[in-house]
Amino acid sequence: MNIIYRSFWLAFLLALAIVAAGCGSGSSPSGPPITGPYSTATLSGNYAFVFSGKDAGGFFGLAGSFQANGAGGLSAGLMDINMGSGISSSVPFTGTYTVLANGQGSAMLTAAAQTFNLRFIVISSRRAMIIRFDNNSSGHGDIEQATAGSTSLASVTGTYTFNLAGIGAAAKPLLTLGAFTADGAGGITAGVQDLSDNGTLATAQAVTGSYTVATEGRGTLTLTTALGVLHFAFYMADQQHLKLVETERSPAQAGETFGGVATLSLSTLGCGPCVFALSGLSAGQAFGGAGILFHSAGTFSHTVGDSNQGGVAGSLNAAVGNITIGNFRGTLTSGASNYVFYPLAGFSPAWLMMQIDPGTMVSGLAYNQPLAGTPHLDLSFAGNYALYFIGMPFTLSTDEVGQVAATNAPSGTVAGHMDMTSAGALNSGLGISGSFTMDKTARGTTGLQTPQGTQNLILFASSGIGPVVFVGTGSNVVAGVFETQQ
């Protein structure tokens, strides 16, 4: 996958609280034949993973690693588990998996005490998005191929941006964004974080800590934060991407790190215009939003966008705002809303974002789209896309993964299949159909036929092979991503 988007979308899916609609089971539209270039052999080699969600015991988080043999077998599995029943560290497991021609797959992770069933959609041989597929549970995350040699203390060095989600001390929703500097010798020398604990904010809090790394790629991370001293296990996908799960029950979080930026400059923030997507809870109601942020060299111009709060469609248009910067992070005012953002290294450019207004648990992302909002952008929505509608990790949410084939923009059709969990019920191999239109300003619309009826979505796209993010306009608040399969 293009380096601009590699692993970036987990930030939107795993730890940034996307809200998905409650969907019931039922008859599905007929789907096309399942065809494509993928097979069980697509996944081969060493992989790291993380996923989190909710089951009968409450919030859970898992991180681990395994070796896929390209023929349906998983070996050398190791994982850390944080569940209502307790903490389990360095748990060995084996497993099996299959991959259909369109990239839909299933896997079973078998440990001594428990088995986890997963469904996933392949983005490429390096990445897949996963949902937990056990009765009376939900959960989602990703699988990422591990890079050889990223298993030493010295390989964890430089600036890292992290995102986490889970539950706080009162077992209420908790969101965290932050960044730290690792010295390559086991020390966290500087850092900062922002969090929303059930809508109560703590911003620009100092972070320090320490870490260890073992030869198999498993490590431990200790962060001294506003929440106290937090302990994590992590599994390395590569030098920048660590799959994290907390190893205490209160708070309990899971997430991932990305390459960050320690020293910001208004002239180098880039990401302008930026296509963005936000989701979570606002004033206790489900919230989703997407749009375009216009700024140049740190000077705010305006935003245009669409929102949905509690099933009521609204606007994210704002003509006034401001941008400021500090170490690791910046702040953005757009109309009456305030956000913190953390630029990411190795992208073109991209930010992780979180709203910092009281009573909100809203977070998301922004990625550079220099021609968005102009009449010259040659957008396309054509080819095969992985899709995921991902629910909040601290609720028994609806999670969906699947694949659609789209005809060429500016208008056309989509058709495909998906697997879905809804309020703990399992639905497999469901058909998808629909039509769409896409204009030249990065905005489009689609009516997506799913088992529960039509989901009307507003799309914000990028050029080339970039992803398409969306927000729903109906009574069920949905947000998610169509990402080009590679």
Side-chain angles (χ1 to χ4, degrees):
M1 181 176 191
N2 189 304
I3 188 64
I4 294 175
Y5 304 111
R6 180 176 172 269
S7 284
F8 184 32
W9 295 102
L10 181 61
F12 189 34
L13 302 175
L14 175 65
L16 297 187
I18 292 180
V19 179
C23 306
S25 60
S27 61
S28 63
S30 60
I34 294 179
T35 61
Y38 302 106
S39 70
T40 300
T42 300
L43 299 184
S44 180
N46 295 319
Y47 291 82
F49 67 89
V50 62
F51 63 98
S52 63
K54 184 178 181 179
D55 59 17
F59 173 82
F60 74 87
L62 280 81
S65 63
F66 59 77
Q67 184 171 10
N69 67 1
L74 303 178
S75 62
L78 194 68
M79 62 182 168
D80 284 69
I81 307 171
N82 188 331
M83 304 185 71
S85 57
I87 311 297
S88 300
S89 299
S90 298
V91 177
F93 70 91
T94 58
T96 58
Y97 71 100
T98 61
V99 180
L100 300 179
N102 68 346
Q104 287 182 279
S106 62
M108 180 182 295
L109 311 183
T110 303
Q114 187 169 2
T115 295
F116 296 93
N117 293 287
L118 308 176
R119 293 295 172 94
F120 59 86
I121 184 66
V122 170
I123 309 300
S124 71
S125 62
R126 290 190 55 82
R127 292 182 57 240
M129 301 305 301
I130 60 178
I131 62 173
R132 187 176 175 185
F133 211 69
D134 293 306
N135 283 309
N136 298 315
S137 67
S138 65
H140 53 268
D142 88 331
I143 304 167
E144 185 175 359
Q145 192 169 49
T147 301
S150 297
T151 57
S152 68
L153 195 68
S155 65
V156 180
T157 184
T159 301
Y160 292 79
T161 293
F162 62 89
N163 52 21
L164 302 167
I167 55 174
K172 299 295 185 179
L174 174 66
L175 293 177
T176 305
L177 287 186
F180 60 78
T181 298
D183 63 8
I188 304 298
T189 58
V192 65
Q193 72 168 9
D194 298 87
L195 63 91
S196 179
D197 189 349
N198 198 36
T200 299
L201 300 166
T203 60
Q205 302 293 306
V207 173
T208 59
S210 61
Y211 62 95
T212 67
V213 182
T215 55
E216 72 274 13
R218 180 186 183 274
T220 63
L221 174 67
T222 299
L223 296 179
T224 301
T225 75
L227 296 173
V229 180
L230 309 181
H231 302 87
F232 299 86
F234 68 79
Y235 291 80
M236 299 187 66
D238 59 36
Q239 186 173 355
Q240 293 185 330
H241 298 102
L242 315 178
K243 314 295 185 180
L244 297 163
V245 62
E246 197 160 355
T247 54
E248 54 233 336
R249 286 301 302 158
S250 180
Q253 303 175 93
E256 185 171 10
T257 69
F258 302 84
V261 181
T263 304
L264 307 188
S265 166
L266 287 175
S267 63
T268 59
L269 283 180
C271 194
C274 312
V275 174
F276 67 88
L278 300 165
S279 58
L281 297 173
S282 181
Q285 295 181 309
F287 177 89
I292 307 171
L293 166 67
F294 294 86
H295 82 91
S296 177
T299 300
F300 178 92
S301 174
H302 64 288
T303 57
V304 297
D306 298 88
S307 66
N308 187 331
Q309 182 168 342
V312 178
S315 169
L316 291 179
N317 295 348
V320 295
N322 186 50
I323 295 174
T324 63
I325 61 168
N327 291 333
F328 301 107
R329 64 193 280 282
T331 60
L332 165 69
T333 299
S334 176
S337 300
N338 299 282
Y339 304 91
V340 62
F341 64 89
Y342 287 79
L344 302 182
F347 297 94
S348 179
W351 300 347
L352 302 185
M353 300 174 62
M354 184 171 74
Q355 190 168 356
I356 50 173
D357 294 311
T360 62
M361 297 195 68
V362 173
S363 53
L365 56 88
Y367 62 93
N368 195 46
Q369 182 48 274
L371 296 180
T374 75
H376 307 294
L377 185 60
D378 182 16
L379 289 172
S380 64
F381 187 32
N384 295 328
Y385 289 81
L387 70 90
Y388 18 101
F389 294 8
I390 308 297
M392 301 184 78
F394 26 73
T395 65
L396 194 60
S397 63
T398 294
D399 295 331
E400 306 172 14
V401 292
Q403 188 250 17
V404 296
T407 62
N408 194 32
S411 63
T413 61
V414 293
H417 303 83
M418 69 179 179
D419 298 312
M420 176 178 67
T421 64
S422 179
L426 310 179
N427 298 273
S428 182
L430 303 175
I432 304 168
S433 64
S435 60
F436 71 93
T437 60
M438 185 70 71
D439 64 24
K440 294 291 185 178
T441 64
R443 187 182 187 277
T445 60
T446 183
L448 197 64
Q449 299 289 335
T450 64
Q452 76 278 16
T454 301
Q455 291 184 345
N456 294 306
L457 311 176
I458 297 175
L459 312 172
F460 287 87
S462 60
S463 59
I465 64 169
V468 178
V469 299
F470 61 80
V471 60
T473 61
S475 59
N476 291 323
V477 181
V478 297
V481 177
F482 297 99
E483 184 174 350
T484 304
Q485 290 180 307
Q486 301 297 304

